[in-house]
Amino acid sequence: MAEKIQFFPLDATYRVQDGKAVINLYGRTADGKQICILDSNFEPYFYVIPKDSSSISEKLEKLRVENENEAAFVTKTETVAKKFLGKEVSAIKVYTNLPGSVPVIREVIKGWEIVDSTHEFDIPFVRRYFIDKNVTPLVLHQAEGEFITQKSRVAVFKADKVEQLSTDTLHNPRVLAFDIETYSPFDMSIDAEKNPILMLSFYGEGFRKVFVWKRFRTDIDYIEFVESESDIIEKFKETIEKYKPDILTGYFSDGFDLPYIKTRADKHKIKLDIGFDYSELRVKSGRETTISINGITHLDIFKFIKKIIGNTLETTTYDLNAVASELLEEKKHDVSLAELPDIWDNNHENLEKFCEYNLNDSLLTYNLAVKMLPTIIELVKIVGIPIYDVNRMGFSQLVEWFIMKQAPQFNEIAPNKPHYNEVQQRRLHTYQGAFVYEPRPGLYKDIVVFDFRSLYPTILSSHNIGPDTMDCACCRDTAKAAPDENERHWFCDKRKGFIPILIEDLITRRMRIKEIIKEEQDEKFIFLDARQTSLKLLANSFYGYLGFFGARWYSIECARSITAWGRFYIHKVIDKAKKEGFIVLYSDTDSVFLTLDGKSKKDAESFAEEINLELPGLMELEYEGFYPAGIFVSAKMGPFGAKKKYALISEQGTLKIKGFETVRRNWSLIAKDVQEKVLDIILREHATEKALEYVKSVVNDLRNKRVPMEKVVIHTQLQKDILDYAAKGPHVAVAQRLINRGKSIGAGSIIKYVVTQGNDIIRNRSKLPEEVKEGEYDADYYINNQVIPAVERIFNVLGYKKEDILEMKEQTKLEGFF
DNA sequence: GGCTCCCGGGG
DNA sequence: GTGTACGGGAGCC
């Protein structure tokens, strides 16, 4: 007797049962219960394109590879008519007994004489399921089948059929944020093997809690005392089990909190079996550690913010305080964590503020997650991949999986990922990027800014650029080639390519939403706005994707053609602006800055209208705005276009600065201090001269040896054992000296050093702080390699040069002279 | 100029 | 897991 249930899928895993792969689809039912849906109606497969198809199917079907305990074999084959980059091919769809058999079988047959190529053999089974079964995470689905009994934390439903029911979306998944504080003496590297977790906080809807294992007097109701660190870990499990979140979120929890908890749990021999199937939290360490839990989506909100929306933020660092300040206008509590170990050991009565701090971090994390969720949800729906994966993907991956999801509709077989050699080859190929009109540095008045709305996506779509439409035989003599100075490529006039179709769809969907959005308010606005943002993010990434060496659909010719058209159109705007009497200040990739030079804002607006009459397809020049004043510096070219460096003041008086870096932690305090102070003076007080004078005074202090030693100490962490270093940096040389003295120094130790005066190379002048007397530091080094680089870019943007900052040097000399 | 190393986030 | 992983700056040679 088949039953029907409605649910929102969140993620999936698969497991092998009775020699067959079963998809475990985790989600929440329409009436709010967590559930696991089993679907065994999906078989693993990959594609083979044969040179000669006469006998290959029989040969394949006989194929069987015996391993120690398992056999990999082909279960059946189908001959299918597919396309590969627009060309018709006859392919063989090879089904195997298990997902794991795919790479095994493929490895055997890829060398066969009659095999031309093999494809789609490296697609994770679960992703294949989402694509092929048209299951989109977070969207309402219906399953037919029956509930069964199975060891599980949630109800298990065995489905005969799963299908999408509507476009209803799980907009309010249950989110639980958490954060830990650990015992970590200042100046020592964080060490999960040695140091315990002290407290753990949670924040969810109507729920807040801090667990801590030392007692003190407090009136705060959310603080709960436990006896030991192992109790904290038990509470971690218990809270998740009780709260039943869809999403467990942390800030850098892939890299810190969860690995730390796992290490400590192992020490106490506690199983973190919080998966719906009682499986343990899984740590996957590679380049970047990732942590997953079966059934619960682990969202590392830091990762999403840094990778996906980082570039759109003003802040250049992504620590919780900076990000929360900008996105939420909320800050971390101002407590000194360096004091925590001592207070923990000797002064428990003062632990309360750390508990509040701990809770606040969870609160900020929760708020960030909730704020980002609409965008994440929309990306998930567009790309068709679960939150967990979208969370960890960069732009090229998002584009690639978006195309992978759509490819079957065009009957296209995916190209393979490039191999190592191929990647090396591709890396060598560079190409001409965007056009940059270098500004004359200085202060200007009455600036108007124009930019092309989504320049590269609209070029891609308007000129039908894609690997399957390039250099077609049918348009060889008729099509207009991209205006590239070095090579000639044209794109089909008769047949639309599938990448332009996808892009056009993204752009027009976004335009429609932007139209609707004008009338919408409240909640609906948030989701629509998130959707248009996501569509834009994705569309903008296609160009970079085509030129990305790791891409399946890599085509440097397409990328080159796009930038060629980009240069063509921006030149067109510049030429016309000059002809009409505007003064061109600056132009970079898709934007043009002009001064009115006596003309009106209205003249500028009609200028854009005239341009737009001549543009093809979806291309459009927008009037971005008017600025009473601004300062420009020359832009530096990156591999994929130019980086913007300018500062503008809007009519409302807000300062817009683009493009400078902040210092890293292996810099001296003096450099950090100066940068922080300068930013503060400029951004808060708008007093450039004052900032400059401040830097000059610091330079002067350095020169006159008035800066205390603690401010010139540089901290660098040894990444590996000292013997493993091929190149000896200053910190390695200092570490060597420490070892010679019998200190135990190894990977993870933090080396402190001061660069002293002399003519030798830096590492030979780097000494331990205790070896150095006050004032023995090399003033020139700290001025030129620390302080100046930390502030130079800031002053450049505001029209000052390095020499201006150093001017005091001359004056000092003069003073000395008199 | 090429090679090598470090950082980020977290405490 | 049918799978891979970054990118920029500084110092040394």
Side-chain angles (χ1 to χ4, degrees):
Chain A
M1 196 41 182
E3 228 181 302
K4 288 179 183 169
I5 56 159
Q6 297 180 7
F7 72 106
F8 301 98
L10 270 149
D11 210 334
T13 57
Y14 83 93
R15 70 179 347 173
V16 176
Q17 270 174 328
D18 306 324
K20 204 171 173 335
V22 181
I23 291 285
N24 291 16
L25 202 49
Y26 300 110
R28 200 170 274 278
T29 60
D31 55 356
K33 299 208 175 55
Q34 288 179 309
I35 193 166
C36 172
I37 311 250
L38 306 183
D39 188 345
S40 47
N41 301 310
F42 187 59
E43 295 168 76
Y45 69 90
F46 68 108
Y47 289 109
V48 173
I49 299 179
K51 282 182 190 147
D52 155 25
S53 61
S54 54
S55 64
I56 189 164
S57 294
E58 296 91 87
K59 210 175 154 192
L60 279 167
E61 282 174 14
K62 277 187 226 146
L63 191 56
R64 193 180 171 93
V65 181
E66 298 284 350
N67 268 338
E68 284 152 36
N69 35 20
E70 264 184 354
F73 56 92
V74 175
T75 54
K76 63 178 171 183
T77 63
E78 286 169 8
T79 305
V80 285
K82 298 286 286 183
K83 286 184 187 172
F84 186 64
L85 298 179
K87 291 194 184 62
E88 316 253 324
V89 291
S90 173
I92 299 177
K93 196 171 177 181
V94 182
Y95 290 86
T96 66
N97 59 324
L98 290 173
S101 302
V102 168
V104 176
I105 299 288
R106 183 257 171 180
E107 197 57 35
V108 172
I109 67 171
K110 72 172 185 193
W112 286 5
E113 186 56 35
I114 43 174
V115 168
D116 182 72
S117 56
T118 53
H119 294 272
E120 304 193 16
F121 46 81
D122 56 358
I123 298 171
F125 190 57
V126 166
R127 293 220 185 144
R128 178 96 269 174
Y129 176 84
F130 280 119
I131 292 171
D132 288 30
K133 292 278 184 172
N134 240 328
V135 173
T136 305
L138 306 177
V139 172
L140 190 63
H141 284 70
Q142 178 167 280
E144 278 181 45
E146 55 183 4
F147 284 97
I148 60 164
T149 320
Q150 188 173 302
K151 194 189 174 200
S152 169
R153 291 185 184 274
V154 299
V156 179
F157 187 87
K158 189 173 177 344
D160 304 314
K161 199 168 137 195
V162 175
E163 60 184 351
Q164 189 176 328
L165 200 61
S166 74
T167 55
D168 282 5
T169 301
L170 182 67
H171 277 309
N172 301 306
R174 211 167 149 73
V175 179
L176 182 62
F178 78 106
D179 180 53
I180 58 170
E181 306 303 326
T182 67
Y183 188 90
S184 182
F186 195 65
D187 264 13
M188 296 235 300
S189 53
I190 295 175
D191 189 345
E193 287 294 332
K194 273 197 212 132
N195 300 318
I197 296 166
L198 308 182
M199 49 187 87
L200 161 70
S201 67
F202 284 103
Y203 193 96
E205 200 183 337
F207 181 70
R208 47 189 196 158
K209 192 65 118 180
V210 175
F211 298 104
V212 55
W213 60 281
K214 273 200 181 173
R215 283 171 192 274
F216 52 88
R217 255 202 351 247
T218 178
D219 296 328
I220 299 176
D221 58 353
Y222 59 74
I223 294 176
E224 185 175 327
F225 298 109
V226 294
E227 297 305 318
S228 63
E229 186 191 27
S230 45
D231 283 357
I232 295 256
I233 296 166
E234 293 294 351
K235 288 292 183 187
F236 174 75
K237 289 172 63 174
E238 195 184 303
T239 306
I240 291 168
E241 201 180 324
K242 280 197 190 140
Y243 190 87
K244 301 188 190 304
D246 296 307
I247 295 173
L248 180 69
T249 186
Y251 202 81
F252 198 48
S253 42
D254 254 349
F256 177 68
D257 301 75
L258 288 180
Y260 207 106
I261 292 172
K262 176 79 169 95
T263 304
R264 299 309 298 177
D266 287 348
K267 275 222 170 310
H268 295 288
K269 305 220 182 332
I270 300 172
K271 269 189 154 184
L272 293 174
D273 54 350
I274 51 179
F276 283 4
D277 52 356
Y278 291 92
S279 61
E280 288 191 66
L281 170 152
R282 257 191 317 282
V283 183
K284 218 173 95 186
S285 34
R287 187 95 202 54
E288 279 175 335
T289 312
T290 56
I291 311 266
S292 60
I293 304 161
N294 284 354
I296 300 171
T297 295
H298 169 218
L299 178 70
D300 184 344
I301 199 63
F302 155 75
K303 239 175 215 178
F304 180 79
I305 289 170
K306 189 184 164 192
K307 285 190 175 179
I308 305 299
I309 66 151
N311 286 335
T312 68
L313 299 179
E314 293 281 320
T315 179
T316 48
T317 59
Y318 303 108
D319 56 280
L320 181 56
N321 195 47
V323 168
S325 302
E326 182 168 346
L327 285 169
L328 307 170
E329 292 176 21
E330 291 174 66
K331 305 191 80 142
K332 275 170 81 103
H333 283 184
D334 188 17
V335 301
S336 167
L337 274 187
E339 292 170 5
L340 177 55
D342 184 53
I343 291 177
W344 182 264
D345 289 333
N346 307 315
N347 203 357
H348 326 171
E349 284 307 312
N350 293 335
L351 281 172
E352 188 182 62
K353 64 178 175 187
F354 291 99
C355 292
E356 292 175 288
Y357 167 91
N358 186 208
L359 183 82
N360 187 244
D361 277 5
S362 281
L363 167 69
L364 296 178
T365 303
Y366 178 86
N367 287 341
L368 283 172
V370 168
K371 174 128 188 176
M372 291 296 112
L373 218 40
T375 307
I376 295 170
I377 289 171
E378 293 305 328
L379 272 174
V380 163
K381 284 165 56 180
I382 296 166
V383 179
I385 297 287
I387 296 176
Y388 180 84
D389 303 276
V390 164
N391 181 204
R392 287 157 184 80
M393 285 175 164
F395 287 114
S396 62
Q397 292 289 294
L398 287 173
V399 170
E400 187 146 290
W401 285 97
F402 173 72
I403 302 177
M404 295 290 274
K405 174 97 175 169
Q406 307 300 323
Q409 292 179 35
F410 299 97
N411 207 26
E412 282 278 342
I413 290 182
N416 293 332
K417 287 202 181 143
H419 269 151
Y420 183 74
N421 314 345
E422 173 73 14
V423 170
Q424 296 306 99
Q425 281 303 307
R426 289 180 182 184
R427 277 177 188 271
L428 297 176
H429 294 158
T430 54
Y431 56 95
Q432 201 180 346
F435 173 73
V436 178
Y437 185 102
E438 298 275 343
R440 269 219 316 269
L443 189 67
Y444 296 93
K445 284 199 292 188
D446 294 338
I447 297 157
V448 282
V449 179
F450 298 100
D451 49 31
F452 280 100
R453 182 178 51 83
S454 303
L455 178 67
Y456 288 165
T458 56
I459 287 176
L460 198 154
S461 129
S462 306
H463 290 278
N464 198 29
I465 294 171
D468 59 330
T469 51
M470 189 173 72
D471 299 342
C472 59
C474 54
C475 305
R476 175 184 297 276
D477 305 315
T478 50
K480 195 174 171 198
D484 191 313
E485 292 85 343
N486 304 311
E487 51 187 53
R488 182 173 185 275
H489 295 291
W490 67 93
F491 298 89
C492 192
D493 279 335
K494 302 190 170 65
R495 190 179 51 81
K496 197 107 182 141
F498 75 93
I499 289 185
I501 290 174
L502 294 178
I503 280 270
E504 195 170 311
D505 187 47
L506 292 173
I507 297 171
T508 51
R509 271 162 76 187
R510 172 160 187 251
M511 282 161 60
R512 273 204 307 277
I513 292 165
K514 289 204 87 164
E515 275 308 306
I516 308 169
I517 227 169
K518 287 178 187 158
E519 286 109 55
E520 293 292 347
Q521 287 302 320
D522 316 325
E523 240 179 83
K524 213 156 180 197
F525 171 85
I526 294 171
F527 291 110
L528 289 171
D529 191 52
R531 188 170 308 167
Q532 69 87 9
T533 311
S534 308
L535 290 165
K536 178 184 174 175
L537 285 172
L538 201 62
N540 284 345
S541 310
F542 269 73
Y543 152 71
Y545 175 78
L546 289 167
F548 168 56
F549 52 75
R552 288 176 188 265
W553 279 275
Y554 172 83
S555 170
I556 196 163
E557 298 83 358
C558 289
R560 281 187 181 135
S561 301
I562 292 168
T563 55
W565 281 114
R567 294 190 299 271
F568 172 85
Y569 286 111
I570 205 83
H571 274 299
K572 196 167 160 162
V573 175
I574 289 172
D575 292 346
K576 193 176 167 73
K578 283 182 177 164
K579 210 177 285 172
E580 301 207 354
F582 293 98
I583 291 177
V584 179
L585 285 184
Y586 171 62
S587 168
D588 184 348
T589 315
D590 57 356
S591 59
V592 181
F593 294 68
L594 309 173
T595 57
L596 289 177
D597 199 35
K599 294 182 180 305
S600 67
K601 285 193 230 175
K602 200 147 185 159
D603 292 333
E605 281 168 41
S606 53
F607 170 76
E609 280 166 29
E610 285 167 38
I611 292 270
N612 281 323
L613 292 175
E614 299 165 27
L615 294 173
L618 297 169
M619 292 191 68
E620 193 186 337
L621 185 72
E622 283 183 327
Y623 173 68
E624 197 263 336
F626 170 76
Y627 299 88
I631 298 155
F632 299 84
V633 293
S634 54
K636 192 168 119 192
M637 296 285 283
F640 292 129
K643 286 191 177 159
K644 295 168 170 55
K645 284 186 176 60
Y646 58 82
L648 296 173
I649 293 150
S650 75
E651 283 180 290
Q652 292 73 39
T654 45
L655 195 64
K656 195 153 119 186
I657 302 173
K658 296 265 181 190
F660 72 92
E661 304 91 9
T662 325
V663 295
R664 288 136 192 264
R665 91 158 163 216
N666 61 332
W667 285 57
S668 59
L669 259 185
I670 189 76
K672 288 181 185 174
D673 282 357
V674 169
Q675 187 181 60
E676 217 174 285
K677 188 87 192 252
V678 162
L679 277 172
D680 195 74
I681 296 170
I682 289 169
L683 296 178
R684 200 182 304 275
E685 302 176 39
H686 305 281
T688 316
E689 288 293 333
K690 187 178 167 190
L692 195 62
E693 287 310 317
Y694 170 73
V695 177
K696 285 179 181 178
S697 75
V698 171
V699 167
N700 201 29
D701 286 347
L702 273 166
R703 204 159 278 291
N704 291 310
K705 302 296 174 78
R706 287 198 291 257
V707 174
M709 170 103 75
E710 78 211 42
K711 297 228 172 196
V712 294
V713 175
I714 299 169
H715 298 78
T716 306
Q717 191 174 34
L718 278 182
Q719 290 304 112
K720 45 191 179 185
D721 219 71
I722 184 155
L723 295 172
D724 300 333
Y725 279 93
K728 281 198 227 163
H731 65 300
V732 182
V734 174
Q736 180 64 62
R737 233 170 301 145
L738 280 166
I739 289 169
N740 293 348
R741 276 195 226 161
K743 298 259 160 116
S744 72
I745 296 284
S749 306
I750 290 175
I751 306 299
K752 298 185 216 173
Y753 64 92
V754 174
V755 178
T756 61
Q757 287 161 297
N759 296 320
D760 213 338
I761 56 171
I762 293 169
R763 74 157 176 247
N764 293 340
R765 291 192 275 127
S766 302
K767 296 190 180 162
L768 289 165
E770 50 266 37
E771 296 173 335
V772 183
K773 289 196 279 289
E774 283 290 343
E776 215 189 310
Y777 62 82
D778 180 2
D780 284 328
Y781 177 84
Y782 286 95
I783 293 166
N784 295 317
N785 295 41
Q786 297 271 320
V787 170
I788 299 296
V791 297
E792 192 179 357
R793 288 173 188 278
I794 302 167
F795 282 109
N796 281 349
V797 166
L798 291 159
Y800 291 88
K801 289 263 177 286
K802 188 174 170 179
E803 296 78 56
D804 300 326
I805 310 169
L806 285 169
E807 195 182 299
M808 190 63 89
K809 182 170 137 191
E810 305 306 325
Q811 291 176 11
T812 314
K813 274 185 186 159
L814 262 150
E815 277 166 21
F817 190 76
F818 286 109

